[in-house]
Amino acid sequence: MTMPALRVSGLAKSFVVHAQGGLALPVLRNVSLAVSAGECLALVGPSGAGKSTLLRSLYGNYRADAGSILVRHDKALVELVGAEPRTVLDVRSRTMGFVSQFLRVIPRVPAVDVVAAPAIRLGMAARDARVRAEFLLGVLGIPPKLWPLPPATFSGGEQQRVNIARSLNVDYPVLLLDEPTASLDADNRDRVVGLIQQRREAGAAIVGIFHDAGVRDALATRVYDVAPLGSAPGAAV
Amino acid sequence: MNPILSASGLGKRFGDRVACRDVGFDLWPGEVLGVVGESGSGKTTLLNCLAGRLHPETGTVVYDSAAYGQVDVHDLSEARRRLLSRTEWGFVNQDAREGLRMGVSAGANIGERLMAIGARHYGDIRRTASEWLGRVEIEQDRLDDRPTTYSGGMRQRLQIARNLVSGPRLVFMDEPTGGLDVSVQARILDLLRGLVETLHLSAVLVTHDLGVARLLTHRLMVMQGGRVVEEGLTDQVLDDPQDAYTQMLVASILPV
């Protein structure tokens, strides 16, 4: 058996809302899962069950209360729960990519530079990173006349594809996808699915939330049921 | 590898008012640390203590100098600290007029920093100053104009050029986009982020604007009443705030 790219055990996460008198909202309890290279694990479960919370906890965007998140990084396993900020940043810059539903960038920066930036930060020459960025934008159906424009004025679907191109411009060994096709039409959805399939076949370990059953069937090799707390704990199916 | 800047137990009072209390952190090379909080939370006092402009009553600030190794900023002689602040540090003020010499040309503002680190050849100094004007997106034919003739955004870009021309390793920034129009602010944010990345700078950035903090910083410290109430990765602190005060700050951001 190969060493998983990502192994989660005993993960717990709750939110404490101080404006509500310290109200505690437990969302995840005792989540355990593992994903190996070339696998795509789809998180399933009803709305509000905590799928996005789990995905964001894996990225270190939300702080887990307990448990362990081990990521294979430079051939070693790195613990993300309780890690120093610089450790998490290093894992994010080279090992773990995240596609969210929203694009968050500095205003007035051209789309092509938004997409090229993560690769340039990793030391790729700016010209090469831009060539790759233009290739990805093209594959994702963003017309060349939009490449030099800042994405703030783009449609929701275009912004989402810019966001996907940005995350795929680096070959992350681990990819976390939060509804990557949410606001896309059928053609663009198929383009995005094709790119993600290529990454999976090239050996990326993927964890994703895909509401569209067709997308999930095309990408997922396994599913993980995120059950709302109060009902039965989550179990791999 | 050592932290480039390491603070511990910093405390400073003004009379019987506590401006900052027991503040400590390690800043690693290439990191941008944001310090956020409302007016009066002690952010600027902390920045001034870190940069040696104010003496804290308690605590230490250790800087890992390229020239001298690890030095305690507040144990240095005044002359040595001035030298460090001209050669290895930058300080970008909110009000560009405090960071510039308003009575001399833009070229002289930049060239002065170069001369402070030993440049003597007039042609070289002028050429480098002109290059830096271009880098901060100021027309190069404005080289001989005084900053009094510049707009607010241009002055701020000139101040950035003056600070970065000498190749600092650590830059302190106090509300670098405060008081500017939002359109000007966006360009300066983009400029600063690009420069921080390409020059591999480490920085401490004070701001009350959580949007600026999100775009420019890797880590955040949230200050309230002189104390650090929360710290962590910037996106963690903003998306999953733990402390009551941080939750209130984040919940107070106006949507656009």
Side-chain angles (χ1 to χ4, degrees):
Chain A
M1 190 182 149
T2 56
M3 186 169 69
L6 182 69
R7 182 192 287 151
V8 179
S9 48
L11 193 70
K13 173 65 188 167
S14 55
F15 295 95
V16 176
V17 188
H18 291 284
Q20 302 289 330
L23 176 72
L25 299 167
V27 179
L28 302 173
R29 191 186 299 147
N30 203 20
V31 170
S32 299
L33 55 87
V35 192
S36 298
E39 281 194 309
C40 174
L41 183 67
L43 305 180
V44 298
S47 185
K51 302 184 294 294
S52 283
T53 297
L54 173 54
L55 206 61
R56 284 167 173 268
S57 300
L58 298 182
Y59 196 58
N61 178 225
Y62 288 172
R63 288 179 265 207
D65 304 330
S68 161
I69 300 170
L70 292 171
V71 182
R72 193 164 64 210
H73 178 63
D74 290 342
K75 300 194 172 72
L77 286 174
V78 173
E79 175 62 70
L80 291 185
V81 176
E84 288 280 321
R86 64 197 182 108
T87 304
V88 180
L89 289 171
D90 190 45
V91 167
R92 285 181 183 178
S93 77
R94 294 188 286 131
T95 295
M96 196 152 68
F98 188 95
V99 179
S100 71
Q101 296 172 50
F102 309 101
L103 183 66
R104 203 174 243 150
V105 291
I106 288 191
R108 304 179 68 181
V109 178
V112 63
D113 292 337
V114 167
V115 174
I120 294 173
R121 213 171 299 146
L122 285 183
M124 192 187 286
R127 262 181 72 170
D128 297 343
R130 249 178 230 119
V131 168
R132 236 184 106 126
E134 289 177 355
F135 170 76
L136 278 166
L137 288 168
V139 170
L140 289 170
I142 304 286
K145 67 177 193 304
L146 293 183
W147 299 349
L149 302 180
T153 55
F154 294 8
S155 72
E158 285 164 347
Q159 290 198 17
Q160 184 158 19
R161 280 176 282 148
V162 170
N163 210 10
I164 291 165
R166 175 180 167 85
S167 303
L168 296 183
N169 203 21
V170 172
D171 288 322
Y172 297 109
V174 178
L175 268 179
L176 308 175
L177 310 171
D178 190 355
E179 293 263 29
T181 59
S183 41
L184 303 184
D185 60 31
D187 281 354
N188 285 314
R189 186 187 61 215
D190 293 346
R191 289 175 173 144
V192 170
V193 167
L195 277 179
I196 297 171
Q197 271 171 335
Q198 280 177 21
R199 283 304 156 85
R200 192 192 64 203
E201 282 154 18
I206 301 173
V207 182
I209 302 170
F210 316 101
H211 279 171
D212 183 313
V215 171
R216 188 162 65 231
D217 291 345
L219 291 175
T221 55
R222 283 189 297 140
V223 298
Y224 180 88
D225 195 3
V226 182
L229 286 185
S231 61
V237 179
Chain B
M1 189 167 72
N2 292 320
I4 189 164
L5 192 71
S6 184
S8 63
L10 285 182
K12 176 74 184 171
R13 298 169 161 274
F14 294 108
D16 50 8
R17 199 172 60 77
V18 176
C20 66
R21 178 167 42 183
D22 197 26
V23 179
F25 63 88
D26 287 330
L27 180 74
W28 295 88
E31 276 187 341
V32 179
L33 171 70
V35 183
V36 299
E38 292 172 303
S39 304
S41 59
K43 316 183 289 288
T44 298
T45 300
L46 173 63
L47 195 71
N48 286 326
C49 286
L50 295 173
R53 294 177 164 204
L54 270 179
H55 280 290
E57 278 122 27
T58 63
T60 56
V61 180
V62 175
Y63 167 67
D64 192 28
S65 161
Y68 312 111
Q70 290 197 309
V71 293
D72 184 329
V73 169
H74 295 282
D75 267 358
L76 290 174
S77 68
E78 186 59 31
R80 177 68 60 91
R81 193 164 58 236
R82 277 171 182 276
L83 185 65
L84 262 189
S85 67
R86 283 199 306 261
T87 53
E88 297 190 24
W89 292 356
F91 197 110
V92 177
N93 291 281
Q94 172 174 3
D95 186 345
R97 286 172 298 190
E98 287 173 23
L100 292 171
R101 287 184 51 204
M102 298 302 283
V104 302
S105 71
N109 265 287
I110 301 176
E112 192 176 57
R113 285 284 293 222
L114 288 169
M115 291 173 72
I117 58 169
R120 288 292 174 265
H121 186 280
Y122 178 77
D124 288 346
I125 292 172
R126 194 172 162 80
R127 189 166 56 249
T128 306
S130 174
E131 275 168 21
W132 267 92
L133 272 195
R135 268 182 105 156
V136 298
E137 300 167 19
I138 296 175
E139 297 294 328
Q140 291 170 339
D141 62 9
R142 302 294 304 271
L143 186 66
D144 296 318
D145 295 344
R146 292 180 183 185
T148 44
T149 68
Y150 280 20
S151 68
M154 286 167 69
R155 281 180 199 168
Q156 195 55 293
R157 279 178 272 149
L158 178 62
Q159 189 190 191
I160 291 166
R162 173 178 161 97
N163 270 280
L164 298 188
V165 67
S166 51
R169 307 165 67 232
L170 173 63
V171 180
F172 301 98
M173 294 188 259
D174 190 4
E175 304 273 12
T177 59
L180 298 174
D181 290 340
V182 284
S183 58
V184 176
Q185 176 172 328
R187 280 179 73 190
I188 293 196
L189 287 175
D190 183 34
L191 173 72
L192 277 175
R193 188 151 88 165
L195 289 170
V196 163
E197 266 168 23
T198 52
L199 304 174
H200 201 67
L201 298 175
S202 309
V204 182
L205 167 81
V206 161
T207 180
H208 69 278
D209 186 330
L210 298 182
V212 169
R214 186 183 288 273
L215 291 175
L216 282 184
T217 69
H218 301 116
R219 290 163 54 197
L220 275 190
M221 294 201 310
V222 182
M223 292 188 73
Q224 181 194 23
R227 282 188 320 120
V228 175
V229 295
E230 180 160 0
E231 60 188 308
L233 277 173
T234 297
D235 63 282
Q236 274 177 352
V237 173
L238 296 180
D239 295 337
D240 184 18
Q242 313 277 311
D243 178 81
Y245 176 70
T246 317
Q247 288 188 357
M248 188 277 294
L249 273 188
V250 171
S252 306
I253 301 174
L254 292 174
V256 286

